[in-house]
Amino acid sequence: MSKNREGHEMAPRVPGNVDESRWIERPELTDRLIEAYRPAGRVALVGPPGAGKSFLARRFYDYLDRVNPNMPLLSLAMDAHAPDEQAGALLRELGVDPLPDPSVNVQRLRHVLRQQGPGVLLLDNATDASAVRGLLPPEDANWFVLVTCQNRSVLDNAFGKPIDVTAFTPDQALELFRRRLGDKRYKEEQDEIAQLCQDLGNLPIAVAAAAGAIGATQRPSVADWRARFNTRWDAFDQEARPGDLNHPYATERNLADVVLRMALEDLSAQPGVAGGNVWPMLGALALFESSRRGRSFSPVLSHHRT
């Protein structure tokens, strides 16, 4: 994708380093990202946890890296628990040592971004408006900024209308299962797959995790996996405290928590089959703290300690 916007219509549907069999086209979203890309642009992907915002943003970031190899690209997984450290983290990425004073680092970051622009900055999982504002490059530095967040309140007017990222369509969820399970097994279990996707609310991370775990072996059947999920989900609901469901995306967060844990249990029981899937999935699970606090990863990790 060039700086003069030529060739935007040629942007690939499947970004680099992604197995096409595991990628579901979402042109209604990628087309909007492509159209929004411009120097000094500000774009946000907004939606519930597990909807695929970070995946889409990272793939778009990787694409820009390939087509603009000499352009500076920065990315930051924002940490709500350490807002004062984020400007320093970006300075390190730019080859500049941060100072002890966070406010000085914010000013230094703006200066360095102005010097090194134009470029691309990805701020992933933003939760605080002031933290985002403190990291934005000066507009005249011509950095394209892409933010992912669950809440529009973290955005200022410079972002315009956000791109809403929500659940898969039913057809997209079914297609992901078909690609993971293969045509033969998909046809044999299509009715149960459709019901499982409906149970999962077509939430992309839940559908992907379930399809990956089920597709790793011929057993359990989709019906067995669905029955186990519903047992876990019912138990989760019964254990919830009255205040646990106040979060606007409590259902999505808890779905992701339950399904990722089930998928990790299945994959960790078959290390030869799981290959490199366990640790990336554990990383995803770390992003989806459920409504219930203090849960331990130790049962999942027991098979994979080094």
Side-chain angles (χ1 to χ4, degrees):
M1 190 174 296
S2 62
K3 297 185 180 86
N4 63 5
R5 298 181 58 80
E6 292 178 0
H8 280 206
E9 68 280 4
M10 300 304 293
R13 289 286 178 230
V14 181
N17 303 319
V18 175
D19 181 349
E20 293 193 23
S21 69
R22 298 173 180 271
W23 172 261
I24 296 300
E25 296 179 358
R26 303 181 79 177
E28 72 281 5
L29 301 174
T30 54
D31 284 349
R32 293 186 62 188
L33 272 175
I34 293 165
E35 180 60 30
Y37 175 70
R38 66 184 184 280
R42 302 283 190 268
V43 180
L45 300 176
V46 180
K53 303 181 300 296
S54 296
F55 184 85
L56 286 164
R58 173 57 61 178
R59 300 281 69 82
F60 191 61
Y61 177 95
D62 289 345
Y63 169 68
L64 294 176
D65 191 23
R66 292 200 317 280
V67 299
N68 295 298
N70 297 319
M71 177 182 287
L73 288 98
L74 297 174
S75 67
L76 177 68
M78 300 190 72
D79 185 352
H81 302 293
D84 292 341
E85 299 176 10
Q86 293 172 147
L90 287 176
L91 283 170
R92 290 188 191 93
E93 290 294 314
L94 290 162
V96 178
D97 291 331
L99 297 176
D101 186 343
S103 62
V104 173
N105 287 332
V106 170
Q107 295 305 315
R108 294 186 80 199
L109 177 63
R110 289 178 61 83
H111 176 72
V112 175
L113 289 173
R114 178 176 276 113
Q115 284 185 322
Q116 297 197 18
V120 175
L121 172 62
L122 168 59
L123 301 176
D124 191 23
N125 198 32
T127 60
D128 181 80
S130 61
V132 171
R133 283 194 299 271
L135 301 176
L136 291 179
E139 192 167 348
D140 60 4
N142 288 326
W143 283 74
F144 173 75
V145 180
L146 178 58
V147 172
T148 73
C149 58
Q150 297 178 22
N151 193 325
R152 295 169 188 246
S153 66
V154 307
L155 308 171
D156 62 22
N157 293 334
F159 283 88
K161 184 178 181 180
I163 298 174
D164 292 317
V165 183
T166 56
F168 279 148
T169 66
D171 287 345
Q172 288 171 334
L174 291 173
E175 176 61 14
L176 190 149
F177 258 96
R178 187 191 67 78
R179 295 183 185 187
R180 297 290 177 91
L181 271 61
D183 289 338
K184 181 177 184 295
R185 189 174 178 193
Y186 174 79
K187 290 177 181 176
E188 292 171 349
E189 302 189 73
Q190 185 172 357
D191 290 344
E192 282 292 338
I193 291 170
Q195 292 180 53
L196 175 57
C197 289
Q198 185 174 357
D199 292 345
L200 300 177
N202 294 319
L203 187 68
I205 197 168
V207 172
I214 294 170
T217 63
Q218 290 300 310
R219 291 290 179 269
S221 69
V222 176
D224 290 342
W225 207 94
R226 179 174 175 243
R228 185 158 63 98
F229 163 75
N230 282 312
T231 298
R232 290 281 191 94
W233 187 239
D234 289 344
F236 195 100
D237 277 348
Q238 291 169 10
E239 293 174 15
R241 295 185 299 272
D244 283 345
L245 301 179
N246 291 338
H247 189 279
Y249 292 131
T251 298
E252 290 87 348
R253 290 170 62 183
N254 294 338
L255 268 173
D257 181 281
V258 171
V259 174
L260 285 168
R261 287 177 185 278
M262 287 179 59
L264 274 167
E265 290 166 7
D266 292 349
L267 291 171
S268 62
Q270 306 170 65
V273 176
N277 291 329
V278 169
W279 289 112
M281 196 172 290
L282 184 61
L285 180 58
L287 299 175
F288 292 92
E289 183 179 12
S290 69
S291 294
R292 292 176 293 170
R293 307 297 181 187
R295 303 183 68 185
S296 171
F297 292 127
S298 55
V300 172
L301 285 169
S302 60
H303 294 282
H304 289 276
R305 288 198 174 118
T306 57

